[in-house]
Amino acid sequence: MMSDDNQDTFRNVSQKPGLQIWTINNMQMVPVPAQGFGNFFEGDCYIVLYNKGSGQSADVHYWIGNSSSQDEQGAAAIYVTQLDEHLGGSPVQHREVQGNESPRFRSYFKNGLIYKKGGVASGFQHVDTNVYNVLRLLHVKGRKHVTAAEVEVTWTSFNNGDIFLLDMGKAIVQWNGPQSNRREKLKAVLLAQDIRDRERGGRAQIGLVEGGDEQDSPELMKVMMAVLGQRTGQLKEATPDDKPDQVQNNNVRLYHVFENNGNLVVQEVATQPLTQDLLHSSDCYIADQRGSCVMVWKGKQASKEERKEALNRAVGYIKAKNYPSNTSVKVMTDGGESAMFKHLFKSWRDRGQTQGLGTTYSMGKIAKVDQVKFDVMELHARPELAAQQRMVDDASGDVKVWRIENLEVAEVNPNTYGQFYGGDCYLVLYTYEMSNQRHYILYMWQGRHATKDEITACAYQAVNIDNKYNGAPVQVRVVMGKEPRHFLAIFKGKLVIFEGGTGRPGAVIPEQGARLFQVRGTNELNTKSTEVLSRASSLNTNDVFLLKTNQICYLWYGKGCNGDERVMGRAMSDVLSKQDKQVVMEGQEPAEFWVALGGKAPYACDKRLQVEEPPHSPRLFECSNQIGKFRMTEVDDFAQSDLDEDDVMLLDTWEEIFLWIGNSANQYETKEAWNSAQEYLRTHPAGRDPDTPIIIVKQGYEPPTFTGWFNAWDTHKWSVSDLSPRPSTPSSPCTLRAQTSVSMNMSPSSSFSPSSPGGDTVSPSAGSSGMYLNPELIVNKSPSELPQGVDPSQREDYLSDVAFENLLGTTRLDFKRLPSWRQSDLKKKAGLF
């Protein structure tokens, strides 16, 4: 029986940021050493604690091996609950099943997970790390998230589509299946290097064999034959890769879960879209996405027993629903909700939530933004500010506008820039400078009454313009009435949206009588005028309206509008009409005013509440259209390194959707990216606006409104000068750099035997040729401790670009421009001298 006294069990639990792992051994929690992280025995259960630091909620996972016993699983679940209590009840709890781990769990092990045979319950002993008495074959699978499972050391375990690591202790041979792709090979290289560095102290050799060209690696093939024997017959065909996450499920149900006389009671509360006020802090709830994920929410005022039993009730719920045993389970407390949970709700406000510059207020369908003076230099220096404000600059760049006429592009008279008609489609090219380079944004504005042919032509012509600028423009779909902030700003307070009609020269415009326009905005960066139905019921006491008749233009000021709004209304009236203006205060309207509107009628007279639009945490997904269905795999705790050039990625910042297109992205997925984004919005469980702006960004041309959502973005990683003219070219120099940066000791001609001394040998030209070393091998080491061939006075040449910048605080190019005394000073501080 397990003791209730947690003091001894949890006395070594650290509150410092980072990862801690325990395995369950004889019903006790036993710490796993750091060099064993990422290795999981199939017969065991593990508890994984990740502390983020900075006052953020920790994450506690319990991992269930496929061969683990029921007793171990039960013990792990109890320890997780006790650990949660020990940490104050704030951590998010996750139940992980081998082979079905969550994106967050996998994110802790960037180089992949290794499943090992055996475990305590099976009677097998755990193999100590940092020894060479090893012989195993690892079957490596996965494009984004890598797993490696131990399989029988025989040729019959191989197939043509995957990658296999033959680990012999002092030597590791990577065999690439003929049908494996570049990304899979790179991931396997990183895993092999990780095994070498963590388990062998960096003293093991790595060799590479291309399965389709085995004759090019005769020495390595001799080694493999010596271990595996002669191969007879053909290898098996490729097996399917790991499946992406489940199709996004917009069928979300919220249940109140409680016990009544010892029975589990599950009572449905609501279906999507959910609202935050459904959650009462005195209760516990389950949010069920039709079995794809089950999330439990524990109210802060819920009883101790209810909170303690939350995880067990989730497991019981899964059984009661006959869901698969590997169904994802997450348990979170009131105030410690995950981004995924918050995204299930129409809106979400964190307690004590503070706003940065430019607080946004949602009022109807037009956003109102507090006045902010944008400093273009600050926006470029602080991309996180640009991202939050959705502004790449201060809107002082150049603007060019085309209209779609007869399915072709026709230039618009600059005197009419800012006037958009609902029966038309437009292309707006915005040019600005950043870091002495020109950047482009191409807006595609779609009128509500434009024909399907015109909308299609607009997209087609956008591709043509994109081609003229060598793929550099960021493309933004703008649906009439849903114009993003920067679009408003570039027209300097003169943006007018006409409900219908066309702006084509010579077009016959039928007599419409009185026309009514609603004006919203407090400065030239956030103001627009929208035509509404010419009826009194369209008025709103909070706004400025312009009523244009054949004789006069009335400027109507509602009682709720402020001085800034009146100023912008006056400026907009000059754009709309050259007629005399008559100011009309609400409540003092002349009879002619009501006659023009068809008579008096009730309208919105309540003071509009300025409801803050709470910021949502951004989420990144890998897009996939495998097996004919749109699927996405979420990337947890994302970074720039997660943007793989083979991918199409979707970044959801709630107010906007970014589609990032990698250089070597699959052409079909690239073509389908737009439909994928619309499908994502349409099926979102929170009932998202399907007209949310969609922005296409290509690798190497990322604007600050995109990069600002990533921590420590490296602007040199994809230098535009290094990219081919079209970002979709598969064989760009970017691809070559990615391959060489992890290619140390991977030459097919490498020669070694399993019994040879461990250790890496580096050629004198290794650094200059793009072959890099693990920094741990060269930082703070005496010359005698360095790998053979490393020049002690030029250690920085053996660092990757990322490691170079992390250690020296500057780019390689800028470092070379420094005087020698300054270079020496930086190298000493970095331990490279």
Side-chain angles (χ1 to χ4, degrees):
M1 180 151 174
M2 204 168 296
S3 170
D4 291 331
D5 183 9
N6 299 338
Q7 291 304 114
D8 290 340
T9 304
F10 302 122
R11 69 178 183 276
N12 293 322
V13 174
S14 172
Q15 301 282 356
K16 294 180 181 178
L19 196 63
Q20 297 170 76
I21 303 179
W22 297 266
T23 186
I24 304 300
N25 189 340
N26 294 325
M27 303 304 155
Q28 298 297 313
M29 282 174 58
V30 179
V32 174
Q35 63 264 37
F37 287 6
N39 292 276
F40 293 87
F41 283 87
E42 297 178 347
D44 287 346
C45 291
Y46 293 79
I47 294 174
V48 177
L49 170 65
Y50 182 71
N51 268 314
K52 304 184 186 77
S54 306
Q56 299 182 66
S57 298
D59 288 277
V60 179
H61 307 253
Y62 80 101
W63 184 91
I64 300 172
N66 287 342
S67 304
S68 60
S69 68
Q70 289 293 323
D71 287 344
E72 280 191 308
Q73 294 178 26
I78 292 172
Y79 274 125
V80 163
T81 302
Q82 293 177 346
L83 179 57
D84 175 75
E85 193 175 336
H86 174 77
L87 295 172
S90 63
V92 177
Q93 299 172 41
H94 310 256
R95 177 177 176 267
E96 312 284 358
V97 179
Q98 180 183 338
N100 293 276
E101 295 85 0
S102 66
R104 169 146 297 192
F105 186 85
R106 291 172 182 263
S107 73
Y108 306 145
F109 311 100
K110 294 292 186 184
N111 293 323
L113 301 173
I114 298 177
Y115 303 140
K116 293 187 171 186
K117 296 290 185 184
V120 174
S122 64
F124 286 92
Q125 294 299 308
H126 290 179
V127 179
D128 292 332
T129 57
N130 205 20
V131 295
Y132 302 112
N133 186 22
V134 176
L135 179 60
R136 61 177 176 173
L137 182 64
L138 295 174
H139 181 185
V140 183
K141 289 186 68 66
R143 299 172 67 244
K144 198 68 172 177
H145 301 300
V146 174
T147 60
E150 289 185 0
V151 293
E152 190 177 351
V153 186
T154 171
W155 282 115
T156 58
S157 297
F158 285 68
N159 69 62
N160 285 312
D162 293 326
I163 294 171
F164 294 81
L165 298 179
L166 181 58
D167 183 2
M168 298 164 283
K170 292 182 179 180
I172 301 171
V173 179
Q174 175 174 329
W175 184 91
N176 295 331
Q179 296 169 23
S180 59
N181 62 38
R182 184 191 64 84
R183 183 202 292 180
E184 292 169 326
K185 294 175 183 178
L186 287 176
K187 291 284 187 181
V189 169
L190 294 173
L191 178 61
Q193 290 181 329
D194 188 51
I195 293 170
R196 176 196 65 193
D197 297 339
R198 277 195 304 112
E199 299 188 21
R200 314 289 149 72
R203 303 189 64 78
Q205 290 184 313
I206 300 174
L208 173 69
V209 175
E210 289 293 345
D213 299 293
E214 293 177 343
Q215 68 278 4
D216 293 341
S217 310
E219 295 297 321
L220 294 179
M221 285 306 297
K222 284 181 184 177
V223 172
M224 294 188 71
M225 295 291 186
V227 174
L228 300 168
Q230 289 296 319
R231 189 168 63 210
T232 57
Q234 298 294 314
L235 294 179
K236 291 179 289 189
E237 284 306 303
T239 55
D241 251 347
D242 52 1
K243 288 181 281 188
D245 285 0
Q246 293 293 313
V247 178
Q248 180 172 245
N249 202 325
N250 63 345
N251 189 336
V252 180
R253 295 179 183 272
L254 186 70
Y255 298 93
H256 178 204
V257 184
F258 56 97
E259 274 193 16
N260 186 10
N261 296 325
N263 296 316
L264 181 68
V265 179
V266 179
Q267 188 174 40
E268 185 173 325
V269 176
T271 58
Q272 84 289 344
L274 305 178
T275 55
Q276 191 177 358
D277 58 5
L278 293 168
L279 302 173
H280 301 292
S281 60
S282 57
D283 292 321
C284 291
Y285 298 85
I286 283 179
D288 179 6
Q289 286 188 274
R290 201 188 279 169
S292 62
C293 182
V294 171
M295 287 181 271
V296 183
W297 184 86
K298 303 182 296 183
K300 283 189 173 177
Q301 269 72 55
S303 69
K304 185 176 180 180
E305 192 60 30
E306 273 199 275
R307 292 166 58 82
K308 190 176 179 181
E309 287 297 311
L311 185 58
N312 287 335
R313 287 179 181 173
V315 176
Y317 173 84
I318 287 172
K319 291 178 180 176
K321 285 280 191 177
N322 287 321
Y323 288 158
S325 60
N326 58 13
T327 299
S328 173
V329 176
K330 303 178 192 302
V331 180
M332 59 208 73
T333 192
D334 185 356
E337 299 85 1
S338 66
M340 184 178 179
F341 183 79
K342 294 175 186 177
H343 269 237
L344 298 178
F345 292 77
K346 189 72 175 172
S347 65
W348 187 278
R349 180 176 313 287
D350 291 324
R351 288 184 174 83
Q353 187 167 283
T354 57
Q355 301 286 322
L357 292 175
T359 301
T360 303
Y361 298 97
S362 282
M363 301 185 297
K365 294 188 177 180
I366 303 178
K368 182 175 186 176
V369 184
D370 284 351
Q371 184 164 349
V372 177
K373 181 172 174 58
F374 288 101
D375 182 336
V376 66
M377 297 304 292
E378 186 176 13
L379 288 173
H380 292 172
R382 296 177 56 203
E384 70 277 7
L385 179 63
Q388 290 163 10
Q389 298 302 323
R390 272 76 177 182
M391 296 285 287
V392 296
D393 68 349
D394 57 0
S396 60
D398 296 327
V399 180
K400 192 168 185 177
V401 183
W402 297 269
R403 182 173 41 248
I404 302 299
E405 296 182 10
N406 300 320
L407 309 185
E408 300 293 336
V409 290
E411 289 192 22
V412 172
N413 186 338
N415 293 331
T416 63
Y417 279 8
Q419 298 177 29
F420 292 82
Y421 291 82
D424 289 331
C425 286
Y426 297 83
L427 291 169
V428 179
L429 181 67
Y430 181 78
T431 306
Y432 65 103
E433 285 205 4
M434 185 173 68
S435 303
N436 296 320
Q437 284 190 330
R438 284 196 167 191
H439 297 262
Y440 308 93
I441 301 175
L442 183 59
Y443 292 102
M444 293 162 280
W445 191 90
Q446 302 171 0
R448 185 177 295 121
H449 306 292
T451 65
K452 285 187 177 181
D453 285 345
E454 286 173 323
I455 292 173
T456 302
C458 184
Y460 175 77
Q461 296 296 346
V463 172
N464 289 339
I465 293 174
D466 183 74
N467 288 336
K468 289 179 182 177
Y469 289 88
N470 291 326
V474 170
Q475 298 178 39
V476 186
R477 178 200 70 161
V478 180
V479 176
M480 176 178 170
K482 303 297 172 63
E483 294 77 16
R485 301 184 200 178
H486 188 260
F487 188 86
L488 268 61
I490 63 179
F491 294 105
K492 308 294 191 295
K494 298 180 180 180
L495 179 62
V496 182
I497 310 295
F498 295 94
E499 175 57 30
T502 176
R504 301 179 188 185
V508 178
I509 302 176
E511 186 62 39
Q512 291 184 295
R515 304 182 75 171
L516 186 63
F517 296 85
Q518 184 176 26
V519 182
R520 282 189 178 173
T522 56
N523 59 65
E524 65 174 21
L525 292 179
N526 65 13
T527 298
K528 74 172 176 178
S529 175
T530 306
E531 186 174 9
V532 294
L533 190 65
S534 298
R535 293 287 183 269
S537 57
S538 298
L539 297 173
N540 190 309
T541 191
N542 299 285
D543 294 322
V544 175
F545 284 80
L546 300 173
L547 177 61
K548 184 181 177 183
T549 70
N550 293 330
Q551 294 79 33
I552 195 169
C553 181
Y554 293 103
L555 192 54
W556 186 85
Y557 293 149
K559 292 178 181 178
C561 66
N562 59 36
D564 289 336
E565 291 170 315
R566 293 178 184 182
V567 169
M568 293 312 300
R570 167 67 73 173
M572 189 65 77
S573 70
D574 292 333
V575 175
L576 276 168
S577 174
K578 303 302 179 188
Q579 298 167 306
D580 291 336
K581 314 296 189 305
Q582 180 178 339
V583 174
V584 176
M585 305 301 292
E586 183 180 5
Q588 301 175 21
E589 300 86 354
E592 295 80 9
F593 179 85
W594 295 118
V595 170
L597 289 176
K600 281 189 175 183
Y603 58 86
C605 293
D606 294 332
K607 178 68 176 174
R608 179 187 295 123
L609 295 176
Q610 294 192 334
V611 182
E612 293 182 20
E613 184 66 41
H616 284 76
S617 299
R619 299 174 72 189
L620 183 70
F621 300 87
E622 177 189 3
C623 297
S624 171
N625 282 81
Q626 293 180 8
I627 65 172
K629 288 186 178 180
F630 173 62
R631 293 179 181 271
M632 296 191 307
T633 304
E634 182 162 10
V635 182
D636 203 90
D637 192 22
F638 62 83
Q640 184 183 4
S641 58
D642 292 308
L643 300 175
D644 193 292
E645 62 190 42
D646 292 332
D647 280 340
V648 174
M649 308 292 289
L650 185 148
L651 177 65
D652 181 5
T653 67
W654 198 265
E655 197 171 313
E656 296 167 330
I657 299 291
F658 289 92
L659 280 169
W660 183 89
I661 312 294
N663 276 0
S664 305
N666 175 287
Q667 283 192 348
Y668 175 75
E669 288 182 353
T670 301
K671 184 179 177 182
E672 289 295 306
W674 204 289
N675 294 334
S676 298
Q678 292 177 311
E679 175 77 358
Y680 171 76
L681 287 170
R682 188 184 66 79
T683 61
H684 199 284
R688 298 281 289 280
D689 186 343
D691 293 334
T692 298
I694 298 172
I695 303 169
I696 290 186
V697 176
K698 289 178 282 298
Q699 181 182 337
Y701 299 96
E702 297 84 1
T705 46
F706 178 83
T707 64
W709 298 106
F710 294 78
N711 186 35
W713 182 273
D714 178 4
T715 55
H716 302 287
K717 183 178 175 72
W718 302 310
S719 171
V720 173
S721 61
D722 290 338
L723 294 172
S724 54
R726 289 296 298 151
S728 59
T729 304
S731 57
S732 70
C734 229
T735 307
L736 301 177
R737 268 209 315 280
Q739 289 173 330
T740 56
S741 66
V742 292
S743 63
M744 202 179 100
N745 282 326
M746 298 303 291
S747 167
S749 60
S750 297
S751 176
F752 58 79
S753 67
S755 58
S756 64
D760 289 323
T761 301
V762 184
S763 68
S765 61
S768 60
S769 67
M771 298 182 181
Y772 305 128
L773 285 173
N774 186 325
E776 294 178 3
L777 298 175
I778 55 177
V779 174
N780 294 320
K781 300 288 186 184
S782 66
S784 62
E785 294 177 302
L786 294 174
Q788 185 179 343
V790 171
D791 183 348
S793 65
Q794 301 294 328
R795 304 182 196 207
E796 67 275 12
D797 288 347
Y798 302 87
L799 293 171
S800 68
D801 289 344
V802 173
F804 189 100
E805 291 186 37
N806 286 340
L807 285 168
L808 293 155
T810 183
T811 65
R812 201 181 297 275
L813 184 62
D814 290 341
F815 178 81
K816 290 178 179 178
R817 292 171 177 164
L818 297 173
S820 57
W821 66 267
R822 180 63 177 147
Q823 290 183 6
S824 299
D825 186 49
L826 288 176
K827 287 167 65 174
K828 283 180 181 177
K829 289 180 179 178
L832 296 169
F833 211 82

